[in-house]
Amino acid sequence: MLHDPNRVYVFDTTLRDGEQVPGCQLTTPEKIEIARELEALGVDIIEAGFPVSSPGDFMSVVEISKAVKEPTVCALTRANKMDIDVAVESLKYAKHPRIHTGIGSSDMHIKHKFNSTREEILERAVDAVKYAKKSVEDIEFYAEDAGRADVVYLAQMVEAVIAAGATVVNIPDTNGYCLPDQYGAKIKFLKENVKNIDKAIISVHCHNDLGLATANSIAGLQNGARQIEGTINGIGERAGNTAIEEVVMILKTHQVLGLHTNIDSKKFFELSHMIRTQMRMPVQPNKAIVGANAFAHSSGIHQDGFLKMRENYEIIRPEDVGFPSATIVLTARSGRHALKFHLERLGHKLDKDELYDAYKRFLTLADAKLDINDDDLQQLMAYKLVKN
């Protein structure tokens, strides 16, 4: 397979893994609207649903397949013929269909979920890929709970499913268990020990149970993975999935990594708002990249440094992710520089003594009121005029 070796493919599972969050279910028209925005964002693969799970999910995959032209549309299955048959049917209108099938790879899953053996599971994995390959060319195989799997057995499984026809091998840290160096080493082991690994793309799919989903995804990419799976806003089962916006902006910010995506990052902010609204899933204000406070500065020391030169306290420009602009938030922690900035923005030019006087009144007001807005500042200056 010929691929740009530095291109990272973005696999969005907002409409499948993201939608599994209780209370976040979407209607088919809502899914289509989000799918079109994901296409505009530039994602390479949209996981549209798990077709066998419900008639609604089946119809969503059918309709999304009709609605988008550029991205690959992917349907999730377990490693059985019925799931695969239903998925194939749901993808009949897709311009670029993909089946995402797989099975557990850790001894814990093999014994306690499947009540099986390594040999039997390996056979089921190969059979599922071969069966899916009869109907769809692009087959992604997931080795569930790979984060806790024995790496030698995992390599054996990966080699076998690639030989059976898998074009992408997904190495999920299903439980968000791994440390970044462990996860990176696992990907590196596969790159170095699976003899047919050049015939497939390694994909990373990380969960955020210990807050390491993004770090683990980056570790995977640094060690040879070239597809990243995640969701907008990092939504997903339990503590969520890797946030796509975080990975994309890390690659943009750390160009020394030499990796790139086809994502138009300027669309992140708007799409984040659409998803948080439609899925009724608020985003914490301090969330990286898309949180309300991601570009807000309230500490006096930070505000002074930011106003002198933006790069003192910002490594990403707000406009690069579609954020309206950076904000200097006035609180009792703010300094004179920030107050002067806002007063000049409102048309008030003060000399040094006037600013000193205004700042004393401002601190009294800020101690009594949590948020200082433009009306408060105008009243502050009106007080000065009346007094004079």
Side-chain angles (χ1 to χ4, degrees), residues 355-369:
L355 180 61
Y356 180 79
D357 185 49
Y359 185 64
K360 280 203 301 186
R361 297 197 311 277
F362 162 76
L363 286 179
T364 303
L365 178 64
D367 274 333
K369 194 173 188 288

Side-chain angles (χ1 to χ4, degrees), residues 245-296:
E245 64 274 10
E246 293 175 12
V247 171
V248 168
M249 294 314 294
I250 288 169
L251 299 185
K252 278 196 165 198
T253 304
H254 290 278
Q255 296 195 357
V256 68
L257 293 172
L259 301 173
H260 63 91
T261 69
N262 278 1
I263 296 293
D264 179 359
S265 64
K266 290 182 172 66
K267 297 189 184 297
F268 276 138
F269 186 73
E270 198 176 318
L271 182 52
S272 168
H273 269 268
M274 175 193 275
I275 285 164
R276 70 182 79 175
T277 302
Q278 292 200 358
M279 288 188 156
R280 298 162 292 282
M281 183 88 170
V283 169
Q284 66 198 62
N286 62 330
K287 164 79 176 65
I289 316 300
V290 293
N293 292 347
F295 299 97

Side-chain angles (χ1 to χ4, degrees), residues 95-159:
K95 288 84 182 165
H96 312 285
R98 176 183 292 184
I99 298 284
H100 190 189
T101 192
I103 201 162
S105 61
S106 68
D107 288 333
M108 184 171 290
H109 276 218
I110 291 167
K111 185 177 178 185
H112 299 291
K113 180 176 173 181
F114 295 101
N115 191 25
S116 188
T117 64
R118 285 184 174 188
E119 294 71 29
E120 218 173 88
I121 291 294
L122 198 60
E123 194 179 323
R124 285 172 65 178
V126 167
D127 287 349
V129 172
K130 283 182 176 174
Y131 186 72
K133 192 78 171 179
K134 290 178 185 175
S135 305
V136 174
E137 176 57 32
D138 189 5
I139 308 295
E140 176 169 344
F141 177 84
Y142 63 85
E144 191 176 13
D145 202 24
R148 295 188 294 178
D150 172 69
V151 73
V152 175
Y153 176 68
L154 182 64
Q156 188 186 351
M157 180 181 270
V158 167
E159 193 167 303

